[in-house]
Amino acid sequence: MKLSYPYLRQTRPTDMLHSAEKLRQLIIENPDLPICVAAGREANPWDPLSELPLMACCVVDVKVVELIAYRHTVNRYLCFTEREELHTALANRHLPYTHPVEKAEALIEKDFADHEPYWQKCILICVDN
């Protein structure tokens, strides 16, 4: 299968997926300890001058999802866990700039199909405040 976007390849993984072996081992060794989730300075782009080394994340959700585990063509900062979200984002990218509409719809469907092999099941830890 030839891809429309050469950078959408398994040779260009994101940094999103990590081994959970260390976390598993710490939980096994310390089953009674609570887990505190914190984000570093770089995780908060809206406050680049923050002097805080860590920001506590008080809202934590853990679930099994499928996500695109490789650099997709929409926005490198977005994490798509629903195919419909990806389809909508691709439509928002193509529809305003491609005429006629039929040509845009064909581009959207081709782009969407090109992403299909890169969905990967994982445990997602979502944090927020």
Side-chain angles (χ1 to χ4, degrees), residues 94-95 98 100-112:
H94 288 299
L95 282 173
T98 309
V101 172
E102 294 78 20
K103 183 178 178 184
E105 289 172 349
L107 281 171
I108 293 163
E109 293 309 316
K110 178 163 181 13
D111 202 357
F112 185 71

Side-chain angles (χ1 to χ4, degrees), residues 64-78:
V64 174
V65 300
E66 275 191 307
L67 58 76
I68 294 181
Y70 300 93
R71 297 192 192 279
H72 53 76
T73 62
V74 179
N75 179 325
R76 69 185 184 136
Y77 297 108
L78 297 179

Side-chain angles (χ1 to χ4, degrees), residues 110-122:
K110 178 163 181 13
D111 202 357
F112 185 71
D114 286 348
H115 287 78
E116 187 59 33
Y118 301 100
W119 288 93
Q120 184 171 343
K121 196 173 189 177
C122 70

Side-chain angles (χ1 to χ4, degrees), residues 7-55:
Y7 51 87
L8 183 67
R9 293 200 177 117
Q10 286 190 327
T11 57
R12 295 285 315 267
T14 66
D15 296 331
M16 292 189 300
L17 299 179
H18 303 276
S19 168
E21 192 55 41
K22 185 175 180 181
L23 177 60
R24 278 190 203 102
Q25 190 61 39
L26 287 171
I27 291 171
I28 290 169
E29 293 170 1
N30 305 281
D32 298 328
L33 290 181
I35 295 175
C36 175
V37 178
R41 229 178 258 153
E42 298 297 318
N44 186 1
W46 293 275
D47 190 9
L49 302 177
S50 174
E51 296 299 320
L52 301 173
L54 293 174
M55 175 177 42

